[in-house]
Short mmCIF file of all heavy atoms in Angstrom, two decimals:
data_model
loop_
_atom_site.label_atom_id
_atom_site.label_comp_id
_atom_site.label_asym_id
_atom_site.label_seq_id
_atom_site.Cartn_x
_atom_site.Cartn_y
_atom_site.Cartn_z
N GLY Z 119 126.91 85.08 82.81
CA GLY Z 119 125.56 84.90 83.32
C GLY Z 119 125.28 85.74 84.56
O GLY Z 119 124.15 86.11 84.73
N ARG Z 120 126.34 86.04 85.34
CA ARG Z 120 126.09 86.89 86.58
C ARG Z 120 125.43 88.23 86.21
O ARG Z 120 124.62 88.75 86.94
CB ARG Z 120 127.41 87.11 87.28
CG ARG Z 120 127.60 86.27 88.47
CD ARG Z 120 128.84 86.49 89.22
NE ARG Z 120 129.77 85.47 89.00
CZ ARG Z 120 131.00 85.57 88.54
NH1 ARG Z 120 131.56 86.74 88.31
NH2 ARG Z 120 131.75 84.47 88.36
N SER Z 121 125.82 88.79 85.05
CA SER Z 121 125.29 90.11 84.74
C SER Z 121 123.81 90.00 84.19
O SER Z 121 123.12 91.05 84.17
CB SER Z 121 126.13 90.78 83.68
OG SER Z 121 126.16 90.00 82.45
N VAL Z 122 123.36 88.81 83.82
CA VAL Z 122 121.99 88.73 83.24
C VAL Z 122 121.10 87.84 84.01
O VAL Z 122 119.92 87.75 83.76
CB VAL Z 122 121.98 88.31 81.80
CG1 VAL Z 122 122.68 89.40 80.92
CG2 VAL Z 122 122.66 86.98 81.57
N VAL Z 123 121.65 87.02 85.02
CA VAL Z 123 120.79 86.15 85.81
C VAL Z 123 119.66 86.81 86.53
O VAL Z 123 118.52 86.28 86.58
CB VAL Z 123 121.67 85.22 86.76
CG1 VAL Z 123 122.10 86.01 87.98
CG2 VAL Z 123 120.83 84.01 87.18
N ASP Z 124 119.84 88.06 86.98
CA ASP Z 124 118.80 88.76 87.64
C ASP Z 124 117.72 89.19 86.70
O ASP Z 124 116.52 89.13 87.05
CB ASP Z 124 119.40 90.01 88.34
CG ASP Z 124 120.53 89.64 89.34
OD1 ASP Z 124 120.17 89.08 90.32
OD2 ASP Z 124 121.69 89.90 88.94
N GLN Z 125 118.05 89.53 85.47
CA GLN Z 125 117.02 89.84 84.43
C GLN Z 125 116.28 88.55 84.12
O GLN Z 125 115.00 88.56 84.01
CB GLN Z 125 117.67 90.36 83.21
CG GLN Z 125 118.26 91.71 83.29
CD GLN Z 125 118.89 92.15 82.04
OE1 GLN Z 125 118.39 91.89 80.90
NE2 GLN Z 125 120.03 92.79 82.14
N ALA Z 126 116.96 87.40 83.97
CA ALA Z 126 116.38 86.11 83.71
C ALA Z 126 115.44 85.74 84.82
O ALA Z 126 114.35 85.15 84.63
CB ALA Z 126 117.40 85.07 83.40
N ALA Z 127 115.79 85.95 86.07
CA ALA Z 127 114.89 85.62 87.25
C ALA Z 127 113.73 86.48 87.16
O ALA Z 127 112.59 86.02 87.49
CB ALA Z 127 115.73 85.85 88.54
N ALA Z 128 113.87 87.75 86.79
CA ALA Z 128 112.69 88.65 86.64
C ALA Z 128 111.74 88.16 85.62
O ALA Z 128 110.48 88.14 85.76
CB ALA Z 128 113.09 90.09 86.43
N VAL Z 129 112.28 87.62 84.56
CA VAL Z 129 111.50 87.02 83.40
C VAL Z 129 110.68 85.86 83.96
O VAL Z 129 109.49 85.68 83.78
CB VAL Z 129 112.29 86.60 82.23
CG1 VAL Z 129 111.56 85.75 81.26
CG2 VAL Z 129 112.88 87.79 81.53
N VAL Z 130 111.36 84.97 84.80
CA VAL Z 130 110.73 83.74 85.36
C VAL Z 130 109.62 84.25 86.31
O VAL Z 130 108.46 83.66 86.27
CB VAL Z 130 111.71 82.85 86.09
CG1 VAL Z 130 111.02 81.71 86.84
CG2 VAL Z 130 112.71 82.33 85.06
N ILE Z 131 109.86 85.21 87.17
CA ILE Z 131 108.82 85.75 88.07
C ILE Z 131 107.63 86.25 87.28
O ILE Z 131 106.48 85.94 87.62
CB ILE Z 131 109.44 86.85 88.92
CG1 ILE Z 131 110.41 86.29 89.91
CG2 ILE Z 131 108.31 87.68 89.65
CD1 ILE Z 131 111.33 87.40 90.58
N LEU Z 132 107.95 87.06 86.26
CA LEU Z 132 106.75 87.59 85.49
C LEU Z 132 106.04 86.55 84.78
O LEU Z 132 104.77 86.54 84.67
CB LEU Z 132 107.28 88.70 84.50
CG LEU Z 132 106.26 89.44 83.72
CD1 LEU Z 132 105.16 90.04 84.56
CD2 LEU Z 132 106.92 90.54 82.88
N GLN Z 133 106.69 85.63 84.10
CA GLN Z 133 106.01 84.56 83.32
C GLN Z 133 105.12 83.77 84.28
O GLN Z 133 104.00 83.40 83.98
CB GLN Z 133 107.02 83.66 82.72
CG GLN Z 133 106.50 82.94 81.44
CD GLN Z 133 106.13 83.81 80.31
OE1 GLN Z 133 106.94 84.64 79.83
NE2 GLN Z 133 104.92 83.76 79.84
N SER Z 134 105.62 83.43 85.50
CA SER Z 134 104.83 82.74 86.49
C SER Z 134 103.64 83.53 86.93
O SER Z 134 102.54 82.99 87.01
CB SER Z 134 105.73 82.41 87.74
OG SER Z 134 104.93 81.83 88.73
#
Side-chain angles (χ1 to χ4, degrees):
R120 258 183 252 127
S121 64
V122 294
V123 72
D124 303 286
Q125 290 177 43
V129 167
V130 172
I131 290 166
L132 184 51
Q133 204 66 54
S134 174

